[in-house]
Every structure is written in structure tokens, then in C-alpha cells.
Amino acid sequence: MDESTNVLAWPTSPGHVTVKPLSAKSPCKVWLIRRESDQMYLTLKLSLTMENITSLRQEEVRQSRKYVVDFYGTLPTQFGEGLVMEYCPGGSLADLVSSRSAFALGECVTALAPIAQTLSVMHSQGQRHGDLSPANILLTAKGMPKIIDFQEAASSSQALTGSGTPGFVAPEMQAGAMESQAGEQDVYSLGACLWFLLSGRVPEEELMRPPASVMFPGIPSIIHELLIDSMNPVPQARPTVDQFARTLFASCPAEPIHWEGHVAAEATHLMETIHPTQESGAAHRRSKRARDNAARQRNSGNDESWHSHRLRRTPGAVKLAGAAVLGIMVILGSMLGVNHFRAAEAKEATAPAMAPPADLDCRIMDGAQVPACALNRDTVVSAFLALSRERDKAMGQLAGEKLKRLYTPGAEQLQRDLETIDQLLDLGLGLEGLRTKLTDVVVSARGQGDTVILAATSTQEEYRYVDAEGVTMHTVQAAEPQRIEVEMVLEESGWKIGKVLRR
């Protein structure tokens, strides 16, 4: 079963929750995890030759660690040891170009000059990267580039036949030729990366490639020469990576990489780079022929609005007025239970598929034989929506015993709901019209054991407090939508609500 749908097929490790796969490949080897102690996001990579990577990371590139993805050791999972490293929420340069268009020259300076300096340190120590490409250059939260994927790294005496990313591999690598000087093949890859960032496409083979001056008429001739020299089919004719970095720095002032609107929605809040607002007008894609002169625009954020509960005036009878005051007290207490859910994100299209199943085909009849459909993502979300509806119904009926069947034993939210019911019974009040609308429901993380974390948008619709005769004592206005995260725990009888998580 595909990891994207089988929520219990995700790797787990003590003290961490698994947030999502970071690769579309199946089986996925790269995952986003979150450390529970400090809520720090990390990347977990499975099935690697980690001894070589760790050795390279700690020794060969120690002097330039600022531009190399940090490695934090290993974590045990049910699938074996996994390598834990820094999470770069900006994604790769390849993804960014695919999303927004080619780079301006100033952005290329920011993206590639530090990488060239890092490679210079490696080359001085007789090491090369071996698989440099835009997909292996990531952006940190500050918009700073970092290189990754050193499993192809090797010394200059080792041949790497056929390795590397197509389009960014030096022609001599395909024949397994040795380097006369460490780093010649990395220089070719750097030149190919620069070509890709400026044009938005992978460079063709030499005979099919248009002249740099024709392809990029709006950039300095020094960059034309750099592209030609870097991708020269004769390795000895290429510049060093240090010369590559110096030439880039001399060609144009560095500019912040324009990532707004092109980073994954769930990672945008982690990014720190702020770009100043430029000339107004609709946002547009940069021209490939004049990228370094294109205008930039930053979208302004929406103002936040605040919503408060408003009391409806009631008849002047002392009894009703007193009951209204008590009702306000109940509201203050019940807000912990009635409108407590928070969430993260997903797709509206998910909701129609979440209707609770009419039959019980996915009911777990035997704890040792869990049907596959019980682990399916859609089944978990459907169970959550059904449990939420049952919770609203039980709260409206003031039925504590029904609530207990919806939660895991000792769940904090269950205790709050039961306390709310006790308060309402003591005051002789009931609830009418209680409905919680849940949309954008998604599996946001995998916890320990048989635990899955769901994220959703929760909207509390208008409801009323009524007395024994059904007279409305207080109306609670519909609340603003809010994001929530809720634990779902798989027990022998099926899925139950566990903790309600806050960020």
C-alpha cells in the first residue's frame, strides 16, 4: 500500500512525529519529521550509506558548514536507521524555478557563489561533490543556499561512471574518466546550474546549445565567458570553482532570492526572508531575455478581524436576567470544550470523500487482524468527521456516556466536555443548534504507536443556550474559522479522538 494513503506505513521514531513524505517516489526514503521536545522540523532520510556522508560532512567540508545541510546523526525507525538532517523549507532551486520562472543574475549570485566557495574547500582537500544540480541545492528559512546529497562524493582518484543528474553531468563522467585536478566535473555542473537558473531549462549538449551571448543578451559578457568556459568539453580548460565564485561576485550585486508565493504553503510560515515592496501592479513572470531588469512585487497581507460573542437582550424578569448572567459563566467555561478544536491544512476536495461509511467493513473485529481499509487515509478522515458529528450530538443531548465512547480513556478534551455538561445540568440549561463544520481535513503527521495527527479548518456555527422550557437564554454567534490539530488513535474497536494539539 502506498505511503501517501496508508497512514500507519510512515516511519516513526521515539520523541518525533512524522509530518509528511518529502518525495513522490514510493517507497519514500525522505520524510519531514518534527521533534516533540522543541517542535523543530527535521528531515529523515532512510536507506543510505551514512558512514560516508557523515565522514564527509564532518571532515571534508567542516570549514564551509554554513552552506552545507547540517547532519544531526541517526534515528532508529521500524524500517532501520535513518539519517537526521536540517530541514530547508524553501525547497530546491529546481522546484523554485519550475514554480516561478528563471532567476535574475543577482539571484544567481546569491544561489551559486556561496556553493562555489564551499566546493572550493572540498576541492582543496581532494574531494568533489559528484552530483551537483539545482535539485541538490536547497534554500533555508533565511533564503540561504545549502548543498545536499553527498552520497556521490568521491576523491579525485575515483571514477563515477554514469553517476550524476542528466544535463548537469560533465561529458567525461559518462565515460568514467579520471580527473586530472579535483573538481573539474563539479565546475561543469556549476556552469550547467547557472545556465539552468538563467534560462529556466536544462542546458542542451554542446552541439545543440545556442551561444550564451544569443541566449542571454541582457547579461554582462563576463557571464557569457563564464558559461562557455565552465561547460567546456575539455576539463583542463575550465576555471576553478574559486574563479567561478569570484567571477559571479564581480558580475552583479547579490539580490535576495524571490521565493514568495512559490514555497509550499505549509512551509511559508517558516521562511524568514522579507523582500521590500516594489512598484505596484499585477505580479508577472519575469522575461527570460531580461531577467535582471524585471520588476518585483510583494503581496500585502490581509488585515485580521476579531470576533466577539454578543449577548442578546432578554426580557427584564429577574429570573431570566439571572439565568442569562449564569449563562455567560457557562459560555466562558464551555468555550474550552465546545469550540476548542484547532488545525493545519489540506484540500477542500477531500471533504466530499469523507462521508462516514454506511457499512462496517472497516470495523476492526479482531485486534490481530486489522483490515487494510482501516489504515487508509480517507478512512481515518471519515472516522474523524463522524466522531466530530457524534460529539456535537452528544453535547446537545448532554449525554456524557456517549461522549466516553468517542474518546480515548483519559483524554483531556473528554474531561472538559464532561465538565461543561455538568455545569449545564447544574444550571438547568441545554444546548441547541450546536454544529462544528470541519473542512480541509488532512493527515498532518504520524505519531507513536497507532496514532495519526489530523489537521483541519474548524468553524463553530451559531448555537443557543436554552432553559427547560426551550426559551433562548443566550445566543453564541458563529465563530471565525480556525486551524486545529487532533490526534486519532487506532484501538481494537476503531479510531478514537485522543489529544487536541495546540501549536
Side-chain angles (χ1 to χ4, degrees):
M1 189 179 295
D2 192 345
E3 294 101 330
S4 64
T5 58
N6 184 0
V7 294
L8 296 185
W10 296 8
T12 61
S13 184
H16 300 78
V17 295
T18 307
V19 178
K20 67 174 183 177
L22 288 176
S23 171
K25 296 180 180 179
S26 184
C28 179
K29 302 301 181 184
V30 186
W31 300 81
L32 177 62
I33 63 175
R34 188 173 67 229
R35 191 163 56 199
E36 292 181 318
S37 60
D38 58 3
Q39 300 300 299
M40 180 179 180
Y41 286 93
L42 303 166
T43 300
L44 175 68
K45 196 163 191 176
L46 304 174
S47 301
L48 295 176
T49 307
M50 288 168 289
E51 295 80 5
N52 294 338
I53 300 174
T54 304
S55 174
L56 176 67
R57 172 67 185 88
Q58 294 178 348
E59 301 298 333
E60 275 63 44
V61 293
R62 179 173 295 176
Q63 298 180 40
S64 298
R65 61 186 305 164
K66 182 177 181 180
Y67 300 108
V68 175
V69 169
D70 284 320
F71 290 84
Y72 304 126
T74 62
L75 276 181
T77 75
Q78 74 271 39
F79 303 123
E81 290 288 313
L83 183 68
V84 181
M85 52 190 144
E86 176 184 6
Y87 174 51
C88 296
S92 71
L93 296 185
D95 291 338
L96 191 56
V97 169
S98 175
S99 173
R100 49 147 271 195
S101 74
F103 278 33
L105 180 57
E107 294 177 299
C108 293
V109 176
T110 301
L112 294 182
I115 301 304
Q117 291 178 318
T118 300
L119 293 173
S120 177
V121 175
M122 292 176 58
H123 295 172
S124 67
Q125 298 173 348
Q127 293 287 326
R128 67 182 177 216
H129 184 278
D131 188 17
L132 189 68
S133 71
N136 288 335
I137 302 176
L138 309 181
L139 289 180
T140 67
K142 296 181 179 180
M144 181 174 67
K146 287 199 173 188
I147 47 178
I148 197 172
D149 274 0
F150 287 99
Q151 61 265 37
E152 299 294 342
S155 66
S156 58
S157 62
Q158 295 173 308
L160 299 174
T161 305
S163 63
T165 303
F168 300 92
V169 181
E172 68 271 15
M173 285 184 68
Q174 300 179 14
M178 301 292 183
E179 289 185 325
S180 60
Q181 182 179 355
E184 293 171 345
Q185 296 166 357
D186 281 343
V187 173
Y188 182 96
S189 299
L190 266 177
C193 286
L194 179 57
W195 184 286
F196 175 82
L197 293 182
L198 288 171
S199 66
R201 66 190 194 203
V202 178
E204 298 89 346
E205 296 182 6
E206 183 189 17
L207 295 179
M208 303 295 294
R209 192 185 310 144
S213 57
V214 174
M215 187 70 182
F216 311 109
I219 63 176
S221 58
I222 189 175
I223 296 299
H224 297 159
E225 297 174 3
L226 180 64
L227 287 168
I228 295 171
D229 293 343
S230 299
M231 292 190 286
N232 195 309
V234 180
Q236 295 77 16
R238 297 169 193 159
T240 65
V241 286
D242 184 63
Q243 291 171 335
F244 188 99
R246 292 175 182 274
T247 302
L248 262 187
F249 276 128
S251 67
C252 176
E255 300 177 15
I257 297 174
H258 186 78
W259 56 261
E260 295 92 338
H262 306 284
V263 170
E266 64 272 14
T268 300
H269 71 284
L270 300 174
M271 299 296 288
E272 299 178 12
T273 306
I274 300 176
H275 299 280
T277 302
Q278 300 292 332
E279 56 185 321
S280 60
H284 59 279
R285 296 174 64 86
R286 270 181 289 278
S287 167
K288 293 183 178 180
R289 301 281 179 175
R291 284 160 296 275
D292 51 332
N293 295 323
R296 289 170 173 78
Q297 174 177 321
R298 176 167 167 251
N299 295 328
S300 59
N302 295 327
D303 294 333
E304 295 185 357
S305 59
W306 294 90
H307 179 85
S308 59
H309 287 75
R310 295 183 292 276
L311 287 178
R312 176 181 294 178
R313 289 186 177 275
T314 57
V318 176
K319 178 178 179 180
L320 292 181
V325 174
L326 293 177
I328 298 173
M329 297 174 63
V330 173
I331 293 170
L332 295 176
S334 63
M335 283 297 292
L336 297 175
V338 172
N339 194 20
H340 183 68
F341 286 149
R342 282 190 57 170
E345 71 197 313
K347 298 178 181 178
E348 181 69 31
T350 312
M354 305 311 168
D359 52 33
L360 299 178
D361 291 344
C362 285
R363 173 172 290 182
I364 303 172
M365 306 303 296
D366 183 349
Q369 297 181 351
V370 180
C373 59
L375 309 180
N376 185 275
R377 174 181 56 193
D378 290 346
T379 302
V380 181
V381 176
S382 295
F384 172 57
L385 294 176
L387 288 171
S388 177
R389 286 192 291 269
E390 290 299 316
R391 174 184 175 272
D392 286 346
K393 185 185 298 184
M395 291 294 293
Q397 297 172 349
L398 305 183
E401 291 302 317
K402 289 185 178 181
L403 280 174
K404 293 178 182 179
R405 296 196 289 267
L406 309 178
Y407 291 91
T408 57
E412 182 179 358
Q413 184 60 46
L414 171 62
Q415 301 305 317
R416 290 175 174 172
D417 286 349
L418 293 176
E419 290 174 2
T420 298
I421 290 176
D422 289 341
Q423 291 177 348
L424 291 170
L425 291 173
D426 290 342
L427 293 169
L429 296 175
L431 293 172
E432 283 189 359
L434 181 63
R435 294 183 185 85
T436 304
K437 181 181 179 182
L438 296 172
T439 58
D440 297 335
V441 185
V442 64
V443 175
S444 66
R446 164 77 197 278
Q448 292 296 299
D450 293 339
T451 301
V452 176
I453 299 174
L454 296 183
T457 297
S458 175
T459 305
Q460 186 67 65
E461 298 182 359
E462 179 181 287
Y463 62 97
R464 300 175 301 282
Y465 288 92
V466 297
D467 61 14
E469 285 75 33
V471 177
T472 298
M473 307 305 299
H474 177 67
T475 298
V476 180
Q477 302 297 323
E480 295 290 336
Q482 53 183 321
R483 301 298 291 172
I484 66 169
E485 282 191 336
V486 180
E487 273 189 356
M488 290 287 287
V489 181
L490 181 61
E491 297 184 346
E492 289 190 9
S493 58
W495 291 97
K496 299 292 181 68
I497 300 175
K499 298 177 182 178
V500 176
L501 305 174
R502 289 184 176 273
R503 295 192 175 189

